[in-house]
Amino acid sequence: MNKIRPKMPREARAKQFMPFSALNGLDLALGEKETRNQQKAQLDGEEIEKINRALQKLAVGDETSLICFYNGIYTPINGVVTKLNDIKQYLEIDGIRVYFDDILRFRY
């Protein structure tokens, strides 16, 4: 027995052998990444027509709210339309570029 240091309590000795994560939050981030990617929905003709009618009414400066497929998940986006490009078929809402074919629905 060592006379210099007192004996370590049993709970403290057990902590030495517990799993160690050098990067805090890595497991959580990886789990989110796995559940994050969703399948993009295929819209029928009627839903596409509703979206097209809403897009025709939209102008730069309008405030809008929509749900779109963005970074692998369906995301609600709210804000002011800052850019509309009919040729390349996208719009920007507060700097976020959303392509027309990624829009699931407009929320009013």
Side-chain angles (χ1 to χ4, degrees), residues 27 39 45 50 70 87 106 108:
D27 294 332
Q39 291 285 17
K50 282 182 189 177
Y70 186 75
I87 296 169
F106 278 90
Y108 300 101

Side-chain angles (χ1 to χ4, degrees), residues 96-108:
I96 299 171
R97 184 174 289 188
V98 178
Y99 288 93
F100 295 167
D101 62 346
D102 289 336
I103 298 172
L104 180 64
R105 76 176 61 96
F106 278 90
R107 297 186 312 167
Y108 300 101

